[in-house]
Amino acid sequence: MKSIFILYINISLLLAGSIPVAAQFYVPPSIKLSDVNSVVTYSLTWNEDSLNPYFKNQEDMILLIGDEMSLFTGKNFFDYRNDGEKYRKEGRSQEFRQIPMSNYRTRFTYDIFKNYPKGKLTYVDKVQPNFLLYEEKLYDFSWEIKDEKMELHGYFCQEARCTYGGRNWIAWFTMDIPYSNGPYKFGGLPGLIVKMYDDKTNYTFELISIMRPYDSLSIAFVERDYVKTNREDLLKAAENFRVDIISRAKAAGLDDSDLQQKIANRMKKRNNPIEF
């Protein structure tokens, strides 16, 4: 009964599109990779259901830039881990458990480490029940820089285009901010990407702010028992989890047919991933 209850809670969180405030916050051992010099915040607007193009989701994402490497992840996902560790170190875990779970709601639990290891991009995510990891070449894009220019958010920007993950992408970068970086896996242009979207506008990243961190922040790599894989196999694993969610729920002992159907309907709508 206890395992079914835990599964029910986890599935409820899945349906809500959020991560849990755990009964006891725990952070596995980690390796500090870099101090954070700049925090870049992007708004991500995306269409989760390809059959319902008029409904958009929105979530803030952050790019943490260090001296030689960076981390791109969900802002709420990062805040959850960062706040939880801070409260734990201060002996205030009970207070942390009282924070509403909705404060950390997120659809994205991946970490994208750029130039870690050097010259590589490391992608980490959890696809139940495993933590998966793969590496690929850093900024492996064939950018085509265009002549078109425009002002965005007070920055003089220039257009560039590339194809990646089955989508055609348009980027607007600025040399006013000399970071060869950007949202998600993107970078390698002569300045920071201010706005980026695919040609069907299913995914749009747009700069909100860039600032120095208020407190001391660091980029850390959590040491886990990762399953090392490649990009294609991770995408397949994520898709298999989506389409096979009812079988997984049944195998774990969940016999509530109404809840199974609700899960299936929700997962069916998550059919428009950023990469194919």
Side-chain angles (χ1 to χ4, degrees), residues 45-64:
T45 305
W46 81 100
N47 176 23
E48 194 165 65
D49 183 0
S50 62
L51 301 179
N52 186 9
Y54 301 105
F55 181 78
K56 299 282 187 177
N57 297 278
Q58 189 280 330
E59 186 168 333
D60 289 350
M61 312 294 288
I62 57 171
L63 174 66
L64 306 175

Side-chain angles (χ1 to χ4, degrees), residues 253-271:
L254 183 65
D255 297 321
D256 187 330
S257 59
D258 289 338
L259 183 56
Q260 290 174 11
Q261 193 58 50
K262 188 175 181 181
I263 295 166
N265 290 338
R266 176 58 62 90
M267 296 304 285
K268 187 183 295 185
K269 294 178 180 179
R270 297 182 181 178
N271 55 42

Side-chain angles (χ1 to χ4, degrees), residues 126-145:
K126 185 173 186 179
V127 179
Q128 292 284 358
N130 300 311
F131 286 93
L132 305 182
L133 176 154
Y134 68 82
E135 295 178 1
E136 60 186 21
K137 185 178 178 181
L138 180 67
Y139 302 150
D140 191 20
F141 311 111
S142 297
W143 287 110
E144 181 183 0
I145 297 179

